């Protein structure tokens, strides 16, 4: 094979020309900060954070080319030339015919859900994502998880844990009828499963079944290039394909997509909805003017669209994606080697600590992942996030808490931002917390907002109210 085999490591294919200082807050500052934040890492101020692994969303470093592109922003209200550049990039790299820009991923999810879902519909998907599922529910639909069982088992080494269980999907179609399923929602590099990929052979199987029933596939392509990397390295048939070719091939087997460009596509803000159906596109761009902005900017500035068009091309570069996923694997292996329980295999955008096995003395109702994220912050100023009971929220019909199998803390790596030495600090901190895991107590809710509660909930230590 080409470059990849010749490279000695995943070393960054760039050098650094601008730096942003970071500060390590003192132990006392960290203790106060997390208490003030109600033990929710989303409520910390970034100035109190040392290494910020809250999310890979909008936190990536742009390239010199992207920054140069920012200066080419055409801020015309209508028909900005940057929109046409973006449209060309979406057509060229992803192969979708039509694009509706949105302010970020959930803007696209809102539009597609409103357009396609009717009250009482079912939307099968390969595991839920928080905002995706919420928009499906707000539109009157019910999300049904059809991912393979292995995805819910943190210790399963299945190489494609985001695969759809075709039997489960087929059963749902037979049970509720194809006319109650407006589309199947397929995510690449499934976030909540730990950044796990779907294989192309599985996607093709899903395609065959859904085409037979006339059901379209809408692709959450937020991390499609990362998924393509795993296909290239794990699915023999594609080992000689380029990342760009695999990305296009994935998109080819779907009918439309929602994109949070803040991840794969290397920008700080932006997203889009893409599709091949002209009639659906006309309706989507009409809805865009109601909720996002005119259909040639959709909530983004011209300069944002320019940076995005360039970011899309950089995202499928072989050396880039090798280094990106390589850095995540490096951190994951270090943490795994120390005996700390994590989700296997290591995913593409982060390392996911298995809080159920990390803190086996806590019940899920004592919020082990939330407590662990808070503890890690206190240890070192490293900010992570909960992906478990708190993120899963409540059942939309019964209002009961959902108890997901996966109770995780996500150490999410921004793209092109941190160094190997930063990864070492993170691993050391995780190990230090693991060594004193028995001392870590649980948390309880003191405030819970109605929607997407993980962002804004507040907590207190159990039995330790002031
Ligand atoms: N789909 C996936 C798979 C995502 O990871 C996200 C965002 C969205 C959709 C929504 O996109 O944030 O641009 O509105 N994930 C972020 C995260 C928030 O931290 O994982 P958005």
């Amino acid at each position: 094979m080409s470059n990849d085999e010749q490279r000695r490591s995943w070393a960054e294919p760039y050098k650094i020309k601008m730096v942003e200082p970071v500060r390590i807050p003192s132990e006392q500052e960290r203790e106060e900060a997390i208490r003030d934040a109600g033990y929710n890492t989303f409520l910390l101020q970034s100035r109190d954070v040392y290494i910020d692994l809250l999310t890979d969303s909008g936190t990536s470093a742009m390239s010199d080319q992207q920054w140069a592109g920012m200066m080419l922003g055409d801020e015309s209200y209508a028909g900005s030339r940057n929109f046409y550049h973006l449209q060309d990039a979406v057509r060229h790299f992803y192969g979708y015919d039509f694009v509706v820009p949105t302010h970020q991923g959930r803007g696209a999810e809102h539009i597609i859900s409103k357009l396609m879902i009717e009250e009482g519909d079912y939307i099968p998907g390969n595991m839920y994502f928080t905002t995706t599922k919420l928009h499906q529910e707000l539109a009157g639909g019910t999300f049904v998880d059809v991912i393979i069982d292995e995805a819910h088992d943190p210790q399963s080494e299945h190489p494609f844990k985001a695969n759809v269980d075709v039997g489960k999907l087929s059963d749902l179609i037979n049970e509720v009828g194809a006319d109650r399923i407006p589309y199947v929602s397929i995510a690449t590099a499934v976030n909540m499963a730990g950044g796990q990929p779907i294989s192309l052979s599985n996607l093709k199987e899903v395609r065959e079944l859904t085409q037979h029933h006339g059901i379209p596939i809408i692709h959450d392509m937020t991390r499609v290039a990362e998924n393509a990397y795993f296909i290239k390295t794990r699915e023999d048939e594609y080992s000689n394909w380029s990342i760009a070719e695999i990305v296009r091939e994935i998109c080819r087997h779907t009918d439309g997509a929602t994109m949070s460009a803040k991840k794969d596509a290397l920008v700080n803000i932006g997203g889009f909805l893409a599709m091949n159906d002209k009639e659906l596109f006309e309706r989507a761009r009409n809805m865009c003017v109601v909720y996002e902005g005119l259909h040639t900017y959709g909530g983004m500035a011209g300069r944002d669209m320019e940076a995005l068009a360039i970011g899309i091309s950089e995202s499928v570069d072989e050396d880039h994606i090798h280094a990106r996923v390589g850095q995540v694997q490096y951190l994951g292996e270090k943490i795994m080697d120390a005996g700390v329980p994590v989700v296997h295999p290591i995913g593409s955008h982060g390392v996911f600590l298995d809080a159920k096995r990390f803190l086996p003395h806590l019940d899920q109702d004592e919020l082990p992942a939330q407590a662990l994220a808070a503890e890690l912050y206190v240890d070192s100023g490293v900010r992570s996030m909960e992906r478990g009971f708190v993120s899963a929220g409540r059942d939309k019909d019964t209002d009961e808490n959902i108890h997901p199998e996966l109770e995780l803390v996500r150490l999410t790596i921004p793209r092109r931002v941190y160094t190997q030495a930063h990864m070492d600090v993170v691993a050391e901190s995780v190990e230090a917390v693991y060594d004193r895991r028995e001392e870590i107590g649980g948390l309880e809710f003191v405030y819970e907002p109605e929607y997407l509660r993980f962002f804004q909930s507040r907590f207190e230590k159990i039995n330790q109210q002031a």
Side-chain angles (χ1 to χ4, degrees):
M1 214 192 352
S2 60
N3 270 343
D4 286 28
E5 266 174 14
Q6 289 157 22
R7 293 174 70 83
R8 297 216 170 129
S9 75
W10 51 269
E12 295 81 354
Y14 53 81
K15 55 186 180 171
I16 296 163
K17 87 164 112 191
M18 191 191 284
V19 295
E20 176 184 340
V22 291
R23 184 182 76 94
I24 309 183
S26 69
E27 189 176 348
Q28 193 192 337
E29 283 176 305
R30 300 195 299 267
E31 271 166 8
E32 276 170 23
I34 198 71
R35 207 176 320 118
D36 289 349
Y39 298 92
N40 183 347
T41 52
F42 276 101
L43 301 179
L44 288 167
Q45 295 190 35
S46 70
R47 63 159 196 224
D48 294 324
V49 174
Y50 172 37
I51 299 174
D52 203 347
L53 306 187
L54 182 72
T55 175
D56 62 332
S57 182
T59 53
S60 299
M62 292 208 296
S63 66
D64 52 358
Q65 294 294 320
Q66 286 179 292
W67 279 108
M70 295 287 276
M71 296 307 291
L72 302 176
D74 169 6
E75 307 306 339
S76 307
Y77 188 88
S80 162
R81 76 171 75 93
N82 311 121
F83 168 74
Y84 296 100
H85 186 189
L86 171 60
Q87 183 174 264
D88 287 347
V90 170
R91 286 181 177 159
H92 178 75
F93 289 102
Y94 303 139
Y96 297 117
D97 291 334
F98 305 109
V99 58
V100 179
T102 58
H103 74 285
Q104 57 181 71
R106 69 199 73 178
E109 291 170 344
H110 176 213
I111 293 176
I112 199 74
S113 302
K114 258 191 139 73
L115 285 178
M116 294 186 75
I117 300 171
E118 284 173 21
E119 192 67 42
D121 280 351
Y122 295 88
I123 306 91
N126 54 346
M127 201 173 270
Y128 85 102
F129 185 70
T130 52
T131 57
T132 322
K133 179 178 171 209
L134 177 61
H135 280 294
Q136 292 165 354
E137 289 178 353
L138 291 172
T142 300
F143 168 81
V144 183
D145 191 2
V146 294
I147 204 164
I148 56 171
D149 289 340
E150 286 88 339
H152 296 281
D153 173 4
Q155 295 184 74
S156 160
E157 295 283 356
H158 196 293
F160 291 104
K161 282 170 115 171
N163 280 356
V164 170
D165 183 327
V166 179
K168 283 187 199 167
L169 178 58
S170 172
D171 288 350
L172 180 75
I173 297 171
N174 293 334
E175 193 186 315
V176 305
D179 56 341
R180 287 267 59 112
I181 302 178
Y183 59 91
V184 177
S185 178
I186 296 293
T188 32
V190 168
N191 193 351
M192 302 302 282
Q196 304 293 331
I198 179 172
S199 70
L200 257 167
S201 62
N202 181 256
L203 178 60
K204 286 188 202 166
E205 252 185 278
V206 173
R207 184 64 161 170
E208 208 174 303
L209 175 68
T210 51
Q211 267 180 341
H212 177 73
H213 292 279
I215 303 170
I217 297 178
I218 299 297
H219 172 201
D220 180 341
M221 64 180 303
T222 296
R223 297 180 182 85
V224 65
E226 294 177 2
N227 195 116
Y229 181 80
F230 286 134
I231 289 177
K232 186 181 169 87
T233 50
R234 293 178 188 171
E235 207 170 351
D236 287 346
E237 209 183 321
Y238 300 97
S239 61
N240 290 321
W241 289 43
S242 68
I243 295 297
E245 286 166 339
I246 297 172
V247 164
R248 256 192 90 112
E249 181 69 3
I250 295 170
C251 296
R252 193 169 74 79
H253 294 289
T254 69
D255 299 280
T258 55
M259 173 60 141
S260 170
K262 302 169 72 173
K263 285 81 166 176
D264 242 19
L266 297 160
V267 287
N268 303 123
I269 193 71
F272 58 78
L273 179 61
M275 68 278 280
N276 297 325
D277 179 336
K278 183 136 197 269
E279 192 260 336
L280 182 66
F281 164 65
E282 300 284 358
R283 291 167 60 220
R285 76 173 179 167
N286 190 224
M287 198 165 279
C288 182
V289 299
V290 181
Y291 292 105
E292 300 285 318
L294 194 81
H295 55 271
T296 57
Y297 74 86
M300 279 184 280
R303 55 181 172 270
D304 297 332
M305 292 189 284
E306 190 60 24
L308 171 51
I310 298 166
I312 289 172
S313 69
E314 292 180 1
S315 75
V316 298
D317 176 83
E318 306 283 320
D319 287 345
H320 160 71
I321 203 75
H322 182 54
R324 190 290 183 276
V325 181
Q327 187 179 41
V328 177
Q329 304 297 307
Y330 172 82
L331 176 64
E333 276 157 29
K334 229 177 152 125
I335 292 175
M336 232 162 26
D337 288 350
V340 177
V342 296
V343 173
H344 292 236
I346 303 298
S348 64
H349 69 303
V351 178
F352 290 66
L353 306 178
D354 181 352
K356 277 188 185 171
R357 282 192 298 140
F358 199 117
L359 301 174
H361 55 283
L362 297 184
D363 281 343
Q364 197 168 23
D365 295 297
E366 297 172 305
L367 316 180
Q370 192 73 41
L372 179 54
E375 200 63 32
L376 190 62
Y377 169 75
V378 172
D379 183 74
S380 58
V382 170
R383 170 154 71 168
S384 57
M385 84 148 91
E386 192 266 7
R387 293 271 82 152
F389 179 91
V390 180
S391 292
R394 291 173 181 273
D395 183 282
K396 76 177 172 68
D397 298 320
T398 66
D399 207 37
E400 292 294 320
N401 279 307
I402 296 168
H403 289 80
E405 279 302 312
L406 297 177
E407 177 73 20
L408 310 175
V409 170
R410 187 181 72 173
L411 301 160
T412 340
I413 316 298
R415 296 166 188 79
R416 310 192 290 205
V417 171
Y418 291 111
T419 65
Q420 186 163 345
H422 287 120
M423 297 301 110
D424 292 342
V425 170
V426 173
E428 279 162 27
S429 176
V430 169
E431 283 175 54
V433 174
Y434 191 59
D435 286 345
R436 55 179 173 75
R437 59 193 178 274
E438 273 129 39
E439 297 160 23
I440 300 170
L443 295 173
E444 60 191 358
F445 278 94
V446 290
Y447 166 68
E448 180 186 348
E450 187 174 357
Y451 300 115
L452 302 173
R453 66 183 183 184
F454 55 95
F455 284 131
Q456 293 155 335
S457 286
R458 300 184 69 85
F459 308 89
E460 264 174 16
K461 290 193 172 180
I462 292 173
N463 304 326
Q464 283 187 24
Q465 284 98 324

